[in-house]
Amino acid sequence: MLGRTANGLYWMFRYFERAENIARLIDAGLRMSLTRSGTGDDDWDGVLQSAGVREAYDEGHSKLTSADAIDYLLRDRSNPSSVMSCVDYGRNNARMVRTALTRETWEATNEFWIELKALLSKRLKAAELPEAIDAIKHRAGLIRGAFHGSMLRNELYNFARIGTFIERADNTSRILDVKYYVLLPSVSAVGTSIDNIQWESILRSVSAHRSYSWAYDGEYRAMNIADFLILNGQMPRSLAYCYEKIVSELGYLAKEYGERLPAHDTADAIRKTLQTRAIKEIMDQGLHEFLEDFVTRNNQLGMEISDGYRFYA
């Protein structure tokens, strides 16, 4: 396969996954702000930092408000990680590899882009946000469904899946980080009702509220929720699940091309970390520090895949 095609597929699915996850991050911020008294504008500092766009936001805004932060994350084209920018980039990549996609996948992609342009043509009111976030998650799910139901299981599929799960792992870790970065008022609040409500909100923002109840009998405990989203291999947005899929898809590529690359060793090492660490050990080390290290290693893997498969050849 040409490196250009592999690059297009990989980034097409990374961008659509990112668009959905930025919407989920906004959802997490909205739910968290409901647990505070006052305007809750300060909560968005953590959301912007977790999205990695805090400094860029400051370049175009004199002060932080929840309305401006949400608009920056949803619609601002100067923000390359906004939902609208990601869907634009994803569609451009889909156009670049149009002949490698099925008709169903392309149509789902194009319809997402058209609907989102109309939906985000103006600044949304607070009451309109839940419906808009649901629409973004729904449309992104339709692209995944069309792709899964119509594509051959070959290297095209492998590169698209790797892009999806690298991005998903990155975003799950960032959503988790929102909780611990700034949202908890003080250390004394750990274990209080506010702490528990915020953890529950995290679960709802990643659509894991019901599945968590099945796995842990519904008791909201920080340790269990962190375990669920980091180490539980049955949870499709957990870091452990993402790395099972990444290692598996890289294994298919190694078999297809007859060679292992540095990316294979990096992915194996990260999966081993997630298989052998206990959640208590991670919490004792510091959840924020663990997630920060994970994001760095996940980014390193992305670079190694790009170099190893010569994406820009």
Side-chain angles (χ1 to χ4, degrees), residues 166-235:
I166 285 185
E167 188 66 31
R168 183 175 297 179
D170 179 88
N171 283 279
T172 292
S173 60
R174 290 180 188 276
I175 287 175
L176 256 177
D177 210 19
V178 173
K179 173 68 181 73
Y180 257 86
Y181 206 5
V182 293
L183 289 174
L184 197 62
S186 68
V187 174
S188 63
V190 173
T192 64
S193 58
I194 289 178
D195 192 33
N196 291 336
I197 290 170
Q198 289 183 346
W199 277 113
E200 181 185 353
S201 300
I202 288 288
L203 285 175
R204 289 186 184 279
S205 71
V206 295
S207 302
H209 181 254
R210 180 163 297 181
S211 54
Y212 172 83
S213 298
W214 293 334
Y216 296 88
D217 295 328
E219 186 181 354
Y220 297 121
R221 296 181 57 202
M223 189 82 81
N224 286 349
I225 294 171
D227 181 68
F228 191 47
L229 295 179
I230 295 173
L231 301 178
N232 191 311
Q234 295 180 319
M235 165 56 186

Side-chain angles (χ1 to χ4, degrees), residues 124-136:
L124 298 183
K125 298 174 183 172
E128 297 171 321
L129 286 171
E131 187 177 346
I133 289 169
D134 282 347
I136 293 164

Side-chain angles (χ1 to χ4, degrees), residues 3-303:
R4 187 166 179 268
T5 304
N7 175 58
L9 285 163
Y10 172 88
W11 277 105
M12 171 188 168
F13 280 87
R14 279 202 72 162
Y15 281 127
F16 286 132
E17 186 70 24
R18 186 176 300 176
E20 180 181 350
N21 282 291
I22 290 292
R24 290 181 182 278
L25 198 57
I26 295 170
D27 193 29
L30 286 170
R31 291 178 186 278
M32 294 292 185
S33 63
L34 295 177
T35 67
R36 301 285 190 90
S37 57
T39 63
D41 287 347
D42 292 342
D43 294 340
W44 292 92
D45 177 55
V47 176
L48 291 169
Q49 294 210 41
S50 293
V53 296
R54 184 65 175 94
E55 290 183 8
Y57 172 90
D58 285 341
E59 290 174 5
H61 301 81
S62 57
K63 61 181 285 193
L64 175 62
T65 68
S66 59
D68 284 345
I70 291 169
D71 195 64
Y72 185 70
L73 291 168
L74 266 183
R75 303 192 317 127
D76 198 325
R77 305 236 184 201
S78 69
N79 172 14
S81 293
S82 74
V83 173
M84 194 66 243
S85 294
C86 288
V87 173
D88 268 344
Y89 297 146
R91 181 174 178 271
N92 287 339
N93 277 274
R95 288 179 66 185
M96 185 173 75
V97 297
R98 172 70 185 86
T99 56
L101 297 173
T102 59
R103 179 175 59 82
E104 288 85 351
T105 305
W106 168 252
E107 287 180 355
T109 299
N110 212 33
E111 286 166 5
F112 186 15
W113 180 72
I114 292 169
E115 181 175 321
L116 200 68
K117 275 186 70 178
L119 182 67
L120 301 183
S121 60
K122 58 180 177 54
R123 182 180 281 233
L124 298 183
K125 298 174 183 172
E128 297 171 321
L129 286 171
E131 187 177 346
I133 289 169
D134 282 347
I136 293 164
K137 292 188 289 187
H138 176 69
R139 280 293 180 185
L142 287 178
I143 294 173
R144 278 198 303 275
F147 183 77
H148 280 260
S150 61
M151 290 292 291
L152 282 174
R153 269 41 176 178
N154 57 12
E155 69 268 39
L156 299 173
Y157 182 83
N158 301 141
F159 281 115
R161 294 274 286 175
I162 290 168
T164 295
F165 285 110
I166 285 185
E167 188 66 31
R168 183 175 297 179
D170 179 88
N171 283 279
T172 292
S173 60
R174 290 180 188 276
I175 287 175
L176 256 177
D177 210 19
V178 173
K179 173 68 181 73
Y180 257 86
Y181 206 5
V182 293
L183 289 174
L184 197 62
S186 68
V187 174
S188 63
V190 173
T192 64
S193 58
I194 289 178
D195 192 33
N196 291 336
I197 290 170
Q198 289 183 346
W199 277 113
E200 181 185 353
S201 300
I202 288 288
L203 285 175
R204 289 186 184 279
S205 71
V206 295
S207 302
H209 181 254
R210 180 163 297 181
S211 54
Y212 172 83
S213 298
W214 293 334
Y216 296 88
D217 295 328
E219 186 181 354
Y220 297 121
R221 296 181 57 202
M223 189 82 81
N224 286 349
I225 294 171
D227 181 68
F228 191 47
L229 295 179
I230 295 173
L231 301 178
N232 191 311
Q234 295 180 319
M235 165 56 186
R237 291 190 172 276
S238 75
L239 308 187
Y241 182 90
C242 290
Y243 264 82
E244 283 298 323
K245 298 304 175 187
I246 291 168
V247 169
S248 173
E249 301 298 340
L250 282 171
Y252 288 124
L253 290 177
K255 188 175 179 183
E256 177 71 23
Y257 296 123
E259 63 175 346
R260 280 180 62 88
L261 303 171
H264 290 86
D265 295 333
T266 300
D268 285 345
I270 296 174
R271 180 177 67 165
K272 186 176 180 182
T273 298
L274 296 168
Q275 287 176 332
T276 57
R277 297 287 295 276
I279 194 62
K280 184 176 185 308
E281 185 184 347
I282 291 171
M283 298 293 264
D284 287 347
Q285 170 196 337
L287 184 60
H288 174 63
E289 288 73 16
F290 173 83
L291 293 170
E292 207 170 37
D293 179 62
F294 176 83
V295 168
T296 300
R297 296 174 78 191
N298 195 50
N299 288 340
Q300 177 194 337
L301 176 62
M303 292 298 296

